[in-house]
Amino acid sequence: MKKILFAVCFVALPLWLSAGLTEAQSEQPVSADSTAGSKGKEQNAKYQALQQELKMLRDGLKVKEAELARLRHKWTVNKGRTPTSDEIKTFEEKRAKGPVTVEDNPFVNQNALSSPGRWRAAYYEKLAEINRDKERAKSLEKELDALKQ
């Protein structure tokens, strides 16, 4: 029994002493050097995070711009057809005589299944997304410049 009690005291004493030292260290006033060091670390961490976000935005912009070009192509292809010069000439003659209908217009695609509306909407959504990302990249660059100084 004495051996067990001795072993418990032997283990508990260093724990008790280290807890006392930790409390004493936390009660000491913080020096200006340690505060400046922690501010520098925080600033460095913020700078690194902003740099990482900016890099991700730029990489994402490359992909989004390629997608924008693809959507533009699909929109253009589905927009309609290019009429021949004879079709344009007859359309202009009909237009000169009076009002014309959509069916008379050779530029309009007559197939309802190939409507360009969804591609146009997707194109402008992607364009707006790219513009938001570019604005965010500009603001990140300003923040990074402010942190450098």
Side-chain angles (χ1 to χ4, degrees):
M1 181 76 168
K2 289 182 182 179
K3 291 182 181 177
I4 295 174
L5 184 60
F6 179 72
V8 169
C9 290
F10 186 72
V11 171
L13 183 64
L15 293 175
W16 178 70
L17 289 176
S18 66
L21 289 175
T22 307
E23 289 174 6
Q25 289 172 349
S26 65
E27 292 175 3
Q28 291 178 352
V30 178
S31 67
D33 293 338
S34 65
T35 304
S38 66
K39 285 183 182 178
K41 288 180 183 178
E42 289 175 13
Q43 231 179 5
N44 191 20
K46 185 176 181 181
Y47 184 82
Q48 294 294 329
L50 290 175
Q51 243 182 349
Q52 182 67 22
E53 185 178 353
L54 184 61
K55 183 180 182 286
M56 287 174 38
L57 268 176
R58 287 182 178 157
D59 292 342
L61 275 173
K62 291 175 187 174
V63 173
K64 288 178 183 178
E65 287 172 348
E67 176 72 14
L68 185 71
R70 188 182 68 79
L71 289 172
R72 172 83 177 169
H73 174 73
K74 286 194 176 211
W75 176 27
T76 305
V77 167
N78 283 313
K79 211 187 298 189
R81 58 191 216 37
T82 306
T84 63
S85 59
D86 293 336
E87 289 174 327
I88 294 172
K89 187 176 179 181
T90 57
F91 177 67
E92 291 300 326
E93 289 172 358
K94 286 182 183 179
R95 186 190 260 173
K97 291 179 184 176
V100 293
T101 62
V102 175
E103 289 81 21
D104 295 334
N105 191 343
F107 291 98
V108 176
N109 195 349
Q110 302 300 324
N111 187 356
L113 296 176
S114 63
S115 174
R118 65 184 178 143
W119 299 113
R120 181 182 59 243
Y123 174 82
Y124 282 115
E125 285 176 16
K126 187 61 73 173
L127 184 63
E129 187 178 334
I130 287 173
N131 288 336
R132 283 192 306 268
D133 285 353
K134 285 182 180 179
E135 290 298 319
R136 177 68 180 148
K138 285 180 185 178
S139 68
L140 287 175
E141 287 172 356
K142 286 180 183 177
E143 287 183 45
L144 285 172
D145 289 341
L147 284 175
K148 283 182 184 177
Q149 297 172 358

